[in-house]
Amino acid sequence: MSSDQERIRERIKELLRKPGNGNCADCEVADPEWASYTLGVFVCHSCSGLHRNIAQISKVKSLLLDPWSYSELEFIDSVGNNAAKAKYEQIVPAFYYRPTSKDCILLNASWISYREGSLWKRGRDNGQYLSRKFILTEREGVLKYFNKHDAREPKAIMKLSTVNATFQPSKTGISHGLQITYLKDNSTRNIFVYHEDGKEIVDWFNAIRGARYHYLQVAFPGAPNSELLPKLTRNYIKEGYMEKTGPKHTEGFKKRWFTMDDRRLMYFKDPLDAYARGEVFIGSKENSYTVLPGLPANVQGTHWPFGITIVTPDRKFLFACETAEDQKAWMAAFQIVISRPMLPQEYAVEAYFKHKP
């Protein structure tokens, strides 16, 4: 062994003696024999295999068998297990279980911010559920799925900046059903998925929330958790059936499924449609948006008896509810949104709706 190699080996031993580095950063087993030279941590042989599966995030080498450079070791010295864990685990909920060397490899894999697996996805046209491969990667900032498990190119790429997930057992009729939405060409796209194992779908949900959290930390540096946490995922303000008419108010009323997602009011022919038939932006009262009970006197056509009129700066939208209770509930939902001042980024969304082709 050359003198240079000997110095590198001695340097590795020095680093391993530093507090926290003598145990695996993931499972805490003693005397780790591998290290990630991109994350700056020491890991055991078992956990190194998990890191190799996420090579786009973590690259590992054996401390005993692989060559090391001084620059790689200096980077590990600048980070180390304790500092890396403080950074990456600072938002882990208190109830999350920390895997140990005695736990199964799948549980240890869940500790790393990358997720890959199979989910049953509903077909856009035929409604049939088929197994699809999904990958969530924070480094790329996307959630993607593949029509075939050996496919090289994804069928869809969903940017974490627009992804939302919400449990929908009643709507889908599946106890472990999840609705994932994202923006495609600034229009909402729905994907309905499930897994036979309830824990698996919950783990996917939490993984999406975790990835969204890290995205928001970068997008809004310095923002407190009180502002970021409500943005991770959101339940819809309200969903249900109403009737609607067209912009001329002379067309017949048609029954549609409506979803109030923040300031986007979307309507679908069927609750499980992949795309909305239309979307309406609901602004604030300061920007001349109002909601009124009832319909204008000159409205034509047969419709449900309990009307709602939404007034925007450009036009009026007319809806009808089947019962007074439905009307009251929808009015309350619209008021929640209209009474809230618009955020700066919402003005850009409003402008898009106004000029939407």
Side-chain angles (χ1 to χ4, degrees):
M1 181 182 294
S2 69
S3 59
D4 191 56
Q5 290 176 321
E6 289 179 357
R7 284 195 293 270
I8 286 178
R9 296 303 175 198
E10 287 302 317
R11 182 67 174 131
I12 290 175
K13 292 179 182 179
E14 290 177 10
L15 294 179
L16 286 171
R17 287 195 290 268
K18 287 197 168 187
N21 291 350
N23 297 84
C24 173
D26 292 334
C27 72
E28 298 189 350
V29 68
D31 302 320
E33 298 178 346
W34 291 72
S36 168
Y37 58 90
T38 55
L39 295 180
V41 297
F42 293 95
V43 295
C44 68
H45 177 74
S46 295
C47 291
S48 72
L50 301 175
H51 283 256
R52 281 193 294 272
N53 289 334
I54 54 170
Q56 68 272 46
I57 297 175
S58 180
K59 297 184 184 299
V60 294
K61 293 199 296 188
S62 168
L63 298 176
L64 303 176
L65 303 177
D66 293 322
W68 287 85
S69 68
Y70 283 109
S71 60
E72 290 170 337
L73 295 180
E74 291 312 307
F75 173 73
I76 293 178
D77 188 24
S78 70
V79 183
N81 285 11
N82 286 348
K85 290 164 70 173
K87 174 183 177 182
Y88 293 112
E89 298 177 11
Q90 61 179 326
I91 63 158
V92 175
F95 60 83
Y96 265 43
Y97 174 72
R98 173 188 289 277
T100 69
S101 60
K102 298 179 181 179
D103 291 315
C104 70
I105 192 169
L106 290 177
L107 181 55
N108 281 275
S110 70
W111 195 249
I112 300 174
S113 57
Y114 171 92
R115 191 168 188 85
E116 177 178 336
S118 298
L119 296 172
W120 293 94
K121 175 189 169 293
R122 188 178 190 273
R124 182 184 67 181
D125 300 319
N126 59 15
Q128 182 181 4
Y129 281 90
L130 297 173
S131 179
R132 295 289 185 253
K133 182 173 77 171
F134 281 77
I135 293 178
L136 174 69
T137 163
E138 283 188 29
R139 177 170 180 173
E140 297 179 33
V142 298
L143 171 66
K144 48 191 174 181
Y145 78 88
F146 302 75
N147 270 353
K148 295 182 179 179
H149 287 259
D150 59 353
R152 300 184 65 181
E153 297 297 325
K155 176 65 176 176
I157 299 176
M158 299 159 260
K159 293 182 179 180
L160 289 176
S161 58
T162 70
V163 165
N164 183 48
T166 179
F167 290 103
Q168 292 283 15
S170 298
K171 184 194 286 189
T172 61
I174 301 171
S175 57
H176 304 147
L178 193 69
Q179 180 176 349
I180 299 173
T181 63
Y182 66 101
L183 293 184
K184 182 177 181 181
D185 300 326
N186 210 35
S187 295
T188 303
R189 168 79 160 94
N190 294 325
I191 291 179
F192 296 94
V193 299
Y194 78 91
H195 197 280
E196 300 94 332
D197 184 351
K199 180 184 181 302
E200 181 71 11
I201 204 69
V202 170
D203 286 347
W204 271 102
F205 177 73
N206 281 327
I208 291 173
R209 284 178 59 85
R212 283 272 302 162
Y213 180 86
H214 294 144
Y215 157 75
L216 291 169
Q217 281 185 310
V218 176
F220 303 98
N225 279 346
S226 58
E227 293 181 11
L228 298 183
L229 294 181
K231 294 183 173 69
L232 301 188
T233 55
R234 61 190 180 276
N235 293 324
Y236 300 129
I237 297 174
K238 182 165 175 58
E239 288 192 284
Y241 283 108
M242 290 193 293
E243 290 182 334
K244 67 170 291 293
T245 187
K248 296 181 180 179
H249 302 169
T250 58
E251 304 89 337
F253 278 75
K254 295 180 180 179
K255 181 181 177 182
R256 294 289 183 257
W257 177 268
F258 284 81
T259 296
M260 190 75 216
D261 182 11
D262 199 30
R263 293 196 182 275
R264 289 177 182 257
L265 176 64
M266 301 169 284
Y267 56 90
F268 307 82
K269 188 173 182 179
D270 183 89
L272 300 182
D273 282 347
Y275 292 98
R277 291 295 182 95
E279 300 188 37
V280 179
F281 181 84
I282 309 295
S284 66
K285 60 184 178 181
E286 291 85 359
N287 297 90
S288 302
Y289 289 83
T290 59
V291 57
L292 305 171
L295 301 172
N298 59 347
V299 170
Q300 302 176 14
T302 303
H303 54 78
W304 281 341
F306 301 94
I308 296 176
T309 299
I310 293 182
V311 181
T312 77
D314 300 313
R315 58 167 285 195
K316 294 180 179 179
F317 293 89
L318 308 184
F319 309 106
C321 300
E322 188 173 16
T323 68
E325 290 76 11
D326 287 343
Q327 180 197 43
K328 182 179 179 180
W330 275 109
M331 290 279 294
F334 293 140
Q335 288 290 2
I336 290 174
V337 176
I338 290 175
S339 62
R340 190 178 72 228
M342 287 172 56
L343 300 174
Q345 59 266 32
E346 292 174 334
Y347 285 94
V349 180
E350 180 189 40
Y352 172 83
F353 272 84
K354 288 183 178 180
H355 300 97
K356 194 173 183 179

